[in-house]
Amino acid sequence: METRDPGGTAIGNQIRELLLDRENVRMAAPTELLLYEASRAQLVHEVIRPALAAGRIVLCDRFTDSTTAYQGYGRGLELSLVARLNALGSDGVTPDLTFLFDLDPAVGLARAAERLRAPRAGADRIEGEVLAFHQRVREGFRALASAEPDRFVVVDAGRGILEIGAELRRRLDARIAGLE
């Protein structure tokens, strides 16, 4: 099953709107962190735990690592606090495998700007952050991947989508077969 964090539930989707709304530029970093954790707690309770109990594989777009990277490294909140709140919000659920799509933040922001040229598109509150913020976030993700190389698969996201997709499939198949 597929889900996303924040979001994935009715309550989580409402929280997601608050988090990404461009009008909320004055949101304090601790408020942001607590909202992410609230959304995650609902997602784990309502979606992830029941799916795992039923023996299903759960594919989640973002989870606790994103909170560590964005709110810990990006916003500068104390990493031990973020870790404690991640444990609470996730109810101890941890990913078995994490794909990290690694890309120079300047390239990523340029891609986002191109995407935003589409009708009705607009940068969300996080996309609107300065380059230095996104660089700190990337450093955070890289530090997490370095600390847990058996769980993380770092993917060069500077390539084309078909090439990236083929690598993901190959790496996932190898991991499931116990070859990687």
Side-chain angles (χ1 to χ4, degrees):
M1 77 156 308
E2 296 175 24
T3 191
R4 68 180 182 182
D5 180 22
T9 67
I11 291 169
N13 288 335
Q14 291 175 30
I15 294 170
R16 181 183 181 89
E17 286 183 33
L18 283 170
L19 284 163
L20 299 181
D21 187 336
R22 293 181 305 219
E23 299 298 316
N24 293 333
V25 294
R26 294 183 55 212
M27 184 180 296
T31 301
E32 182 180 81
L33 172 61
L34 292 168
L35 285 170
Y36 276 106
E37 299 300 351
S39 176
R40 181 171 303 122
Q42 190 67 29
L43 178 65
V44 168
H45 173 78
E46 192 175 322
V47 176
I48 295 176
R49 280 242 184 251
L52 293 174
R56 298 180 70 193
I57 292 174
V58 177
L59 177 63
C60 188
D61 179 10
R62 302 185 186 266
F63 203 62
T64 55
D65 297 315
S66 293
T67 304
T68 301
Y70 279 87
Q71 283 65 54
Y73 286 86
R75 299 280 185 228
L77 292 175
E78 182 183 324
L79 292 176
S80 63
L81 171 66
V82 175
R84 287 191 311 273
L85 291 175
N86 274 340
L88 176 67
S90 69
D91 192 28
V93 172
T94 58
D96 295 317
L97 175 64
T98 299
F99 287 106
L100 171 57
F101 297 91
D102 188 42
L103 185 65
D104 179 308
V107 174
L109 290 172
R111 284 183 181 179
E114 184 64 33
R115 185 188 80 240
L116 296 175
R117 287 188 176 86
R120 304 168 84 200
D124 65 37
R125 193 174 62 82
I126 305 298
E127 289 172 333
E129 286 290 343
V130 298
L131 179 59
F133 170 81
H134 293 283
Q135 289 168 330
R136 291 190 304 272
V137 169
R138 183 186 193 198
E139 290 169 14
F141 275 120
R142 287 176 151 193
L144 291 168
S146 256
E148 292 188 68
D150 292 338
R151 178 168 64 90
F152 276 84
V153 173
V154 180
V155 177
D156 176 4
R159 300 168 296 153
I161 193 165
L162 295 177
E163 190 179 352
I164 292 170
E167 179 184 352
L168 290 178
R169 182 56 153 183
R170 180 183 58 74
R171 302 285 295 265
L172 184 57
D173 287 347
R175 182 64 66 103
I176 290 172
L179 301 174
E180 194 171 272

